Amino acid sequence: MERQEEHRHFDQLLFFVVIALMGFGLIMVYSASSVTSMRDMSDALYYFKRQAMWVGVGLLAMFMFANINYRKLEPAAIPLMILSIIGLILVLLVAKEISGARRWIRIAGIGFQPSEFAKIAFIIYLARSIALKQEKIHDLVKGVLPDLLLTGVLFALILKEPNLSTAAIVGATYFLMLFLGNGSLLHLTWMIGAGLTLVSALVFSEGYRMRRFLAFLDPWESSQTSGYHIIQSLIAIGAGGVWGLGLSQSRQKFFLLPERHTDFIFAIICEELGLMGESRLSCFISY
């Protein structure tokens, strides 16, 4: 028998898009954070250098996993899932509270979020579990409930941080994986109903979540409190217009828009590059 060599297809266009997005991200992180870095760290490149370090780590990880057959990850699915649950428990016990939440664990000065690791481990685990249960995937008790219970455990641990958005992503991940894994349409339908009901109840069960939701609907009603971020981001987007103010020319980054180099960096991109720059970025991301 002739030895068949494994041929790997290298998508050059996808690789170019990923590298281009990384480079663009570095540029915009520097532009959005330079003022904050200078004020807080006396170094305009502080956040840029941190981001560049993680870009380097990400590239090394990308090249490493690109040369690993994904099927070889199957034996690691359960150990990774166990590590994820341990990490999610530890973050609740030992993590320092930041802005009312416990999400980061720091080791030797390097911080990471167990919930981010858990999302990857969860996908690997589900891929293995659903593949092994194809013959009984339509059986509610044997095919759905075991993974649904695990989803509930992860959801509850992440929600406790609290981090409703990431918890909701975990729930949506199971729904999508079950759909792709030939799950029952009946099961998927009631999951949608139950999920929307649960998330709605959780939003209105906490005052700060409800205020954020209402601020999204009408930010000017609470312009100096929960609606402030949204209004300032809209001002940035509007100031950019079609062509933008120019790279590094943002005015909102001068301490008017909070979280300008993290959660609200998209507003800075729109302000500096305008609608045309944002549209090109969207095309890259859509690819």
Side-chain angles (χ1 to χ4, degrees):
M1 181 182 297
E2 294 184 3
R3 180 176 177 270
Q4 295 181 349
E5 294 185 359
E6 180 183 0
H7 295 281
R8 301 180 187 276
H9 174 67
F10 180 73
D11 192 326
Q12 295 180 351
L13 180 58
L14 179 59
F15 177 75
F16 167 76
V17 170
V18 170
I19 297 300
L21 286 173
M22 283 184 168
F24 178 79
L26 278 173
I27 293 171
M28 293 313 304
V29 164
Y30 169 69
S31 180
S33 68
S34 57
V35 176
T36 304
S37 297
M38 182 59 71
R39 183 193 65 176
D40 297 343
M41 307 296 178
S42 300
D43 180 4
L45 296 173
Y46 177 78
Y47 289 109
F48 171 82
K49 288 186 287 190
R50 285 177 61 88
Q51 185 72 5
M53 178 190 72
W54 287 113
V55 164
V57 172
L59 284 172
L60 288 175
M62 181 182 73
F63 286 118
M64 180 180 71
F65 282 102
N67 288 283
I68 296 177
N69 188 326
Y70 67 89
R71 296 186 184 279
K72 293 182 178 179
L73 296 175
E74 183 178 346
I78 294 177
L80 288 175
M81 199 69 262
I82 293 173
L83 283 175
S84 297
I85 293 174
I86 293 174
L88 291 173
I89 294 173
L90 281 177
V91 78
L92 297 176
L93 298 176
V94 304
K96 180 181 178 182
E97 186 173 310
I98 301 175
S99 300
R102 299 178 185 274
R103 300 177 184 175
W104 292 83
I105 291 179
R106 294 193 174 275
I107 300 176
I110 298 176
F112 70 96
Q113 295 188 66
S115 59
E116 295 300 316
F117 177 76
K119 287 191 290 187
I120 299 174
F122 188 49
I123 291 173
I124 296 172
Y125 177 87
L126 284 180
R128 174 185 181 275
S129 178
I130 293 174
L132 292 175
K133 293 188 296 188
Q134 274 301 293
E135 294 183 357
K136 49 189 176 182
I137 198 65
H138 288 187
D139 187 316
L140 178 62
V141 175
K142 297 180 179 179
V144 176
L145 280 183
D147 291 338
L148 187 60
L149 288 174
L150 176 62
T151 305
V153 170
L154 295 179
F155 186 96
L157 288 172
I158 296 173
L159 183 66
K160 188 67 176 177
E161 293 182 0
N163 192 345
L164 177 58
S165 58
T166 300
I169 289 174
V170 167
T173 297
Y174 177 57
F175 173 86
L176 181 60
M177 295 282 286
L178 187 62
F179 173 76
L180 295 175
N182 195 34
S184 165
L185 290 179
L186 178 61
H187 297 158
L188 291 168
T189 300
W190 67 253
M191 280 184 194
I192 291 176
L196 291 176
T197 301
L198 176 60
V199 170
S200 299
L202 290 171
V203 167
F204 289 98
S205 67
E206 293 286 348
Y208 76 93
R209 292 185 190 135
M210 184 171 64
R211 287 192 295 272
R212 287 183 180 179
F213 178 74
L214 296 176
F216 171 76
L217 297 177
D218 185 8
W220 282 271
E221 182 68 24
S222 51
S223 60
Q224 296 302 313
T225 53
S226 55
Y228 180 81
H229 290 65
I230 300 175
I231 292 174
Q232 294 302 320
S233 65
L234 290 174
I235 291 174
I237 293 170
V242 176
W243 301 107
L245 300 178
L247 188 62
S248 80
Q249 298 302 309
S250 167
R251 295 190 288 261
Q252 290 297 99
K253 69 182 179 183
F254 285 90
F255 315 115
L256 294 172
L257 177 63
E259 310 299 336
R260 48 205 155 268
H261 62 288
T262 54
D263 292 359
F264 283 83
I265 193 171
F266 183 73
I268 301 298
I269 293 173
C270 291
E271 185 182 14
E272 295 190 350
L273 304 183
L275 177 64
M276 297 305 296
E278 178 274 328
S279 299
R280 294 189 182 95
L281 176 61
S282 298
C283 289
F284 265 79
I285 295 175
S286 298
Y287 175 83

